[in-house]
Amino acid sequence: MIPYISNQCKDIEKSSKGRVRARFMPLVMVKRTTATGAAAAIAAYASASGFAGGTVTEEKDLLPQEDINKLYEPRTYAFDLYNDTYKFRVLTMELGAMYPVQVELDPGIADGLGDNLEGYEDMMGMAKGIWIQNDKELSEFIEMLATSSAKLKHVLRRLASGE
C-alpha cells in the first residue's frame, strides 16, 4: 500500500515536470498543554514545593529488542501536494498492518465526488467514513480521485502554474 502511493507521488512529480511535488508520510502528532493564570501559578507552586503529583510506575523491560506489537498499531498517513508556495492535503489514511484502511478526504473533494464514493462508505458495519478493503480497491479509488475530482484537478493546475 505505501509503495503504491509512493509511486503515485513520483508519477505526479514526473508528469508535472517537477512543478508539483507529492508526499505520503506518517503524521507526527504533538500534544501541548499549557496552563495560564491561576492554573499556571498553582502548577509552579506545586512543582517547587514537591507536590507535583503521585507515584508513576513503569514497566522496565529487560530485553533490549523493540516490541513487535508496535508494527501493528495504526498510524495516520497524509497525502499532500505542494509547490514552493502552497500545500494541499488531499487525504489522510489510518494504516494498520493490513486492510481495511480508513480514508478521510478533503471535504471539498468528498463533496464533489458525491455518488462516486458509493461503495466505499460505512463498510463492514464500521464507523462512517471511506473504507478501502484491498489493493485493487486502493488502485481504483486513486484512479477515481484523479479522473473525477474537479477540485483536485483545479488544485493540481494551480500548483503546476506556480500560483
Side-chain angles (χ1 to χ4, degrees):
M1 179 175 347
I2 293 173
Y4 175 79
I5 297 178
S6 296
N7 284 335
Q8 296 296 311
C9 292
K10 290 175 189 171
D11 290 348
I12 289 168
E13 292 179 29
K14 185 177 177 184
S15 67
S16 72
K17 297 179 176 71
R19 292 181 301 225
V20 179
R21 293 181 297 279
R23 64 181 171 206
F24 183 68
M25 54 194 316
L27 292 179
V28 177
M29 302 298 192
V30 178
K31 191 175 195 177
R32 293 191 179 131
T33 10
T34 57
T36 59
I42 292 169
Y45 173 77
S47 178
S49 58
F51 296 111
T55 304
V56 175
T57 305
E58 292 181 358
E59 174 186 359
K60 178 158 174 56
D61 196 335
L62 300 178
L63 293 173
Q65 291 83 0
E66 191 170 342
D67 185 357
I68 198 166
N69 282 316
K70 289 182 182 177
L71 299 176
Y72 292 94
E73 293 175 0
R75 292 190 69 187
T76 303
Y77 281 71
F79 178 61
D80 298 322
L81 301 171
Y82 63 101
N83 64 14
D84 292 336
T85 309
Y86 297 105
K87 65 182 176 182
F88 176 70
R89 172 133 318 139
V90 177
L91 58 81
T92 58
M93 284 186 172
E94 191 72 24
L95 298 181
M98 51 183 89
Y99 288 102
V101 173
Q102 186 176 16
V103 177
E104 185 176 330
L105 277 173
D106 166 80
I109 290 176
D111 289 344
L113 290 173
D115 291 342
N116 288 321
L117 293 177
E118 199 169 300
Y120 293 107
E121 295 178 325
D122 201 24
M123 301 184 97
M124 297 173 45
M126 295 180 175
K128 288 253 182 234
I130 298 168
W131 293 89
I132 307 293
Q133 300 296 321
N134 53 49
D135 288 340
K136 183 176 184 261
E137 278 191 15
L138 177 64
S139 175
E140 291 169 353
F141 182 76
I142 297 297
E143 180 68 23
M144 182 263 301
L145 281 178
T147 59
S148 301
S149 173
K151 181 175 181 179
L152 184 57
K153 290 176 185 177
H154 178 73
V155 167
L156 282 166
R157 279 193 301 274
R158 294 290 300 259
L159 289 172
S161 71
E163 293 180 24

